[in-house]
Amino acid sequence: MTIKYIDAISEGFPNTQFSYIGNVSDNIYENIVWESGDPIPEKSVLDTWISAKVKTDLWRLIQAERDRRKSAGVYVAGNWFHTDDTSRIQFLGLLMYGANMPNNIMWKTMSGNFVQMTPTLAQQIFGTIGAKDTAIFTVAETHRAQMTASSDPSSYNYLTGSPAWPTVYGE
Protein backbone atom coordinates (compact mmCIF):
# COMPACT_ATOMS: atom_id res chain seq x y z
CA MET A 1 0.00 0.00 0.00
CA THR A 2 1.72 3.14 -1.22
CA ILE A 3 0.40 6.66 -0.80
CA LYS A 4 2.13 9.35 -2.84
CA TYR A 5 2.70 12.91 -1.72
CA ILE A 6 0.17 14.25 -4.20
CA ASP A 7 -2.44 11.81 -2.89
CA ALA A 8 -1.71 12.90 0.68
CA ILE A 9 -2.09 16.59 -0.22
CA SER A 10 -5.28 15.96 -2.21
CA GLU A 11 -6.91 13.94 0.57
CA GLY A 12 -5.46 15.43 3.73
CA PHE A 13 -4.98 19.05 2.68
CA PRO A 14 -7.80 19.76 0.20
CA ASN A 15 -7.40 23.55 0.35
CA THR A 16 -3.96 23.34 -1.25
CA GLN A 17 -3.94 23.76 -5.02
CA PHE A 18 -0.82 22.37 -6.66
CA SER A 19 0.66 20.84 -9.77
CA TYR A 20 3.42 18.31 -10.25
CA ILE A 21 6.48 18.56 -12.49
CA GLY A 22 7.60 15.32 -14.14
CA ASN A 23 6.42 11.75 -13.66
CA VAL A 24 3.97 11.51 -10.74
CA SER A 25 5.04 7.93 -10.03
CA ASP A 26 8.49 9.24 -9.03
CA ASN A 27 6.88 10.68 -5.87
CA ILE A 28 9.47 13.44 -5.42
CA TYR A 29 8.42 16.07 -2.90
CA GLU A 30 10.47 18.79 -4.57
CA ASN A 31 8.47 18.34 -7.82
CA ILE A 32 5.28 19.60 -6.17
CA VAL A 33 4.49 23.18 -7.19
CA TRP A 34 2.16 25.37 -5.13
CA GLU A 35 -0.54 27.10 -7.21
CA SER A 36 -2.96 28.64 -4.70
CA GLY A 37 -4.80 28.14 -1.43
CA ASP A 38 -3.10 26.79 1.66
CA PRO A 39 0.67 26.29 1.42
CA ILE A 40 2.10 22.88 0.59
CA PRO A 41 2.78 21.06 3.88
CA GLU A 42 6.39 20.33 4.72
CA LYS A 43 7.73 16.95 3.66
CA SER A 44 7.95 15.76 7.28
CA VAL A 45 4.29 16.67 7.83
CA LEU A 46 3.28 14.72 4.71
CA ASP A 47 5.44 11.76 5.74
CA THR A 48 3.73 11.67 9.14
CA TRP A 49 0.28 12.00 7.54
CA ILE A 50 1.06 9.19 5.06
CA SER A 51 2.34 6.89 7.81
CA ALA A 52 -0.81 7.45 9.88
CA LYS A 53 -3.05 6.94 6.83
CA VAL A 54 -1.33 3.68 5.88
CA LYS A 55 -1.72 2.36 9.42
CA THR A 56 -5.38 3.37 9.54
CA ASP A 57 -6.11 1.80 6.15
CA LEU A 58 -4.28 -1.43 7.06
CA TRP A 59 -6.09 -1.65 10.40
CA ARG A 60 -9.39 -1.42 8.53
CA LEU A 61 -8.28 -4.28 6.27
CA ILE A 62 -7.26 -6.35 9.29
CA GLN A 63 -10.66 -5.65 10.88
CA ALA A 64 -12.42 -6.72 7.67
CA GLU A 65 -10.46 -9.98 7.63
CA ARG A 66 -11.27 -10.52 11.31
CA ASP A 67 -14.98 -9.99 10.66
CA ARG A 68 -14.95 -12.20 7.57
CA ARG A 69 -13.38 -15.04 9.52
CA LYS A 70 -15.81 -14.67 12.42
CA SER A 71 -18.69 -15.43 10.05
CA ALA A 72 -16.89 -18.11 8.02
CA GLY A 73 -17.77 -21.17 10.07
CA VAL A 74 -16.56 -23.49 12.81
CA TYR A 75 -15.63 -27.14 12.57
CA VAL A 76 -17.36 -29.33 15.15
CA ALA A 77 -17.96 -33.08 15.24
CA GLY A 78 -16.79 -33.57 11.65
CA ASN A 79 -18.89 -30.77 10.12
CA TRP A 80 -18.61 -27.07 9.36
CA PHE A 81 -21.37 -24.96 10.90
CA HIS A 82 -22.40 -21.44 9.90
CA THR A 83 -21.34 -18.58 12.19
CA ASP A 84 -23.02 -15.58 10.60
CA ASP A 85 -25.10 -13.42 12.95
CA THR A 86 -28.37 -15.21 12.17
CA SER A 87 -26.82 -18.62 12.88
CA ARG A 88 -25.34 -17.37 16.14
CA ILE A 89 -28.80 -16.24 17.26
CA GLN A 90 -30.24 -19.63 16.30
CA PHE A 91 -27.56 -21.42 18.33
CA LEU A 92 -28.44 -19.25 21.33
CA GLY A 93 -32.07 -20.29 20.90
CA LEU A 94 -31.08 -23.94 20.81
CA LEU A 95 -29.02 -23.48 23.98
CA MET A 96 -32.03 -21.96 25.70
CA TYR A 97 -34.01 -25.12 24.96
CA GLY A 98 -31.34 -27.12 26.76
CA ALA A 99 -32.54 -30.65 27.49
CA ASN A 100 -36.01 -29.65 26.22
CA MET A 101 -34.78 -29.26 22.66
CA PRO A 102 -37.22 -30.90 20.25
CA ASN A 103 -36.09 -34.24 18.84
CA ASN A 104 -35.22 -34.72 15.20
CA ILE A 105 -34.07 -31.18 14.38
CA MET A 106 -32.06 -31.62 11.21
CA TRP A 107 -29.45 -28.88 10.86
CA LYS A 108 -27.92 -27.92 7.53
CA THR A 109 -24.14 -27.63 7.58
CA MET A 110 -21.99 -25.38 5.40
CA SER A 111 -21.30 -28.27 3.03
CA GLY A 112 -25.03 -28.82 2.54
CA ASN A 113 -25.26 -32.00 4.60
CA PHE A 114 -27.86 -32.35 7.33
CA VAL A 115 -27.01 -33.54 10.84
CA GLN A 116 -29.25 -34.14 13.81
CA MET A 117 -29.02 -31.27 16.30
CA THR A 118 -28.76 -32.27 19.92
CA PRO A 119 -28.29 -30.24 23.10
CA THR A 120 -24.72 -31.50 23.31
CA LEU A 121 -23.93 -30.56 19.71
CA ALA A 122 -25.45 -27.09 20.18
CA GLN A 123 -23.26 -26.57 23.26
CA GLN A 124 -20.16 -27.77 21.39
CA ILE A 125 -20.86 -25.44 18.46
CA PHE A 126 -21.49 -22.45 20.70
CA GLY A 127 -18.35 -23.15 22.75
CA THR A 128 -16.28 -23.51 19.60
CA ILE A 129 -17.63 -20.23 18.25
CA GLY A 130 -16.55 -18.47 21.45
CA ALA A 131 -13.09 -20.00 21.38
CA LYS A 132 -12.64 -19.18 17.70
CA ASP A 133 -13.85 -15.60 18.18
CA THR A 134 -11.23 -15.15 20.89
CA ALA A 135 -8.48 -16.63 18.69
CA ILE A 136 -9.48 -14.46 15.71
CA PHE A 137 -9.56 -11.33 17.88
CA THR A 138 -6.11 -12.15 19.28
CA VAL A 139 -4.63 -12.67 15.82
CA ALA A 140 -6.13 -9.39 14.57
CA GLU A 141 -4.78 -7.42 17.52
CA THR A 142 -1.36 -9.06 17.18
CA HIS A 143 -1.22 -8.15 13.50
CA ARG A 144 -2.27 -4.61 14.37
CA ALA A 145 0.56 -4.30 16.89
CA GLN A 146 3.12 -5.80 14.50
CA MET A 147 1.97 -3.56 11.62
CA THR A 148 2.06 -0.46 13.84
CA ALA A 149 5.56 -1.31 15.10
CA SER A 150 6.87 -2.12 11.62
CA SER A 151 9.48 0.20 10.14
CA ASP A 152 7.56 -0.13 6.86
CA PRO A 153 3.86 -0.63 7.62
CA SER A 154 2.97 -0.27 3.94
CA SER A 155 4.65 -3.61 3.21
CA TYR A 156 3.16 -5.49 6.20
CA ASN A 157 1.18 -8.56 5.13
CA TYR A 158 -1.48 -9.42 7.70
CA LEU A 159 -2.75 -12.40 5.66
CA THR A 160 0.43 -14.45 5.98
CA GLY A 161 3.02 -15.00 8.61
CA SER A 162 2.69 -15.27 12.32
CA PRO A 163 0.36 -15.51 13.97
CA ALA A 164 -1.68 -17.49 11.48
CA TRP A 165 -5.40 -16.87 11.26
CA PRO A 166 -7.63 -19.73 12.44
CA THR A 167 -8.85 -21.90 9.57
CA VAL A 168 -12.28 -21.20 8.16
CA TYR A 169 -14.58 -23.08 5.82
CA GLY A 170 -13.07 -23.51 2.38
CA GLU A 171 -9.42 -23.16 3.36
Side-chain angles (χ1 to χ4, degrees):
M1 173 177 295
T2 302
I3 300 173
K4 298 188 179 328
Y5 289 124
I6 62 168
D7 299 327
I9 295 170
S10 296
E11 186 175 336
F13 307 87
N15 295 325
T16 302
Q17 304 301 311
F18 65 94
S19 59
Y20 192 85
I21 300 171
N23 187 346
V24 174
S25 65
D26 292 338
N27 198 33
I28 299 171
Y29 175 80
E30 291 74 20
N31 288 359
I32 302 168
V33 178
W34 178 82
E35 302 247 339
S36 65
D38 292 344
I40 295 171
E42 294 181 21
K43 185 177 187 289
S44 62
V45 170
L46 290 176
D47 288 339
T48 300
W49 188 93
I50 289 169
S51 177
K53 174 77 168 136
V54 165
K55 290 175 183 177
T56 298
D57 289 352
L58 278 171
W59 174 233
R60 286 188 181 126
L61 292 172
I62 292 168
Q63 288 173 309
E65 181 64 13
R66 175 199 67 199
D67 294 347
R68 181 189 76 80
R69 287 180 176 275
K70 281 180 58 181
S71 63
V74 291
Y75 191 74
V76 177
N79 292 288
W80 281 96
F81 292 90
H82 295 88
T83 55
D84 58 298
D85 289 342
T86 300
S87 297
R88 288 167 181 257
I89 292 167
Q90 291 171 333
F91 289 127
L92 277 172
L94 291 173
L95 287 177
M96 291 175 71
Y97 274 123
N100 296 321
M101 180 185 296
N103 293 329
N104 299 323
I105 295 177
M106 298 305 292
W107 202 267
K108 189 172 184 179
T109 67
M110 293 182 81
S111 65
N113 297 330
F114 286 86
V115 296
Q116 184 170 356
M117 184 57 63
T118 64
T120 300
L121 181 57
Q123 289 172 347
Q124 289 172 339
I125 293 168
F126 197 74
T128 303
I129 289 172
K132 191 166 191 179
D133 282 354
T134 300
I136 289 169
F137 176 82
T138 300
V139 170
E141 288 296 327
T142 302
H143 280 297
R144 178 186 194 178
Q146 290 174 354
M147 174 271 296
T148 301
S150 171
S151 61
D152 183 14
S154 64
S155 67
Y156 185 82
N157 188 344
Y158 60 92
L159 295 173
T160 61
S162 181
W165 292 95
T167 304
V168 296
Y169 183 72
E171 291 184 333

